[in-house]
């Protein structure tokens, strides 16, 4: 039996990078939704998921939070950094995918 080696082509790598970009977008979107929910009843699995999403997305979002201050709306503040972060993610991700595809 000869093992068949799968050749990885540039399109495969570009597709993988694109999927990673989409997954990260979904994680940022989940992070935004979680910020709107004040109290979530404690559940160990849910707590692990929330901590994972926070730890994965916060380093990237903090880059934009340092640049863009929250917009005050009365007693609350609106954080615009996720919108800018998603926009930059898609622009840079599209450029990277295009360069990889050649």
């Amino acid at each position: 039996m000869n093992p068949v080696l799968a050749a990885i082509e540039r399109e495969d790598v570009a597709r993988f990078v694109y999927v990673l970009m989409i997954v990260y977008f979904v994680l940022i979107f989940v992070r935004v939704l979680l910020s709107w929910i004040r109290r979530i009843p404690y559940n160990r699995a849910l707590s692990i998921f929330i901590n994972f999403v926070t730890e994965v997305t916060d380093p990237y979002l903090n880059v934009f939070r340092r640049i863009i201050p929250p917009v005050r709306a009365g007693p609350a503040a609106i954080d615009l950094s996720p919108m800018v972060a998603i926009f930059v993610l898609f622009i840079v991700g599209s450029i990277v995918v295009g360069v990889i595809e050649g």
Side-chain angles (χ1 to χ4, degrees), residues 44-76:
R44 186 165 190 244
L46 185 60
S47 178
I48 291 170
F49 175 73
I50 291 171
N51 288 339
F52 170 76
V53 170
T54 302
E55 289 177 9
V56 168
T57 58
D58 271 359
Y60 180 64
L61 292 176
N62 286 340
V63 171
F64 298 97
R65 287 182 180 140
R66 280 186 237 130
I67 299 168
I68 304 165
V71 176
R72 295 284 171 198

Side-chain angles (χ1 to χ4, degrees), residues 15-55:
R15 197 173 316 122
F16 180 74
V17 171
Y18 180 75
V19 169
L20 283 179
M21 185 177 68
I22 297 298
V23 168
Y24 204 69
F25 163 76
V26 170
L27 288 174
I28 292 173
F29 187 73
V30 168
R31 176 76 169 110
V32 169
L33 292 178
L34 289 173
S35 71
W36 291 347
I37 301 170
R38 287 290 173 206
R39 289 191 170 180
I40 299 174
Y42 182 76
N43 180 335
R44 186 165 190 244
L46 185 60
S47 178
I48 291 170
F49 175 73
I50 291 171
N51 288 339
F52 170 76
V53 170
T54 302
E55 289 177 9

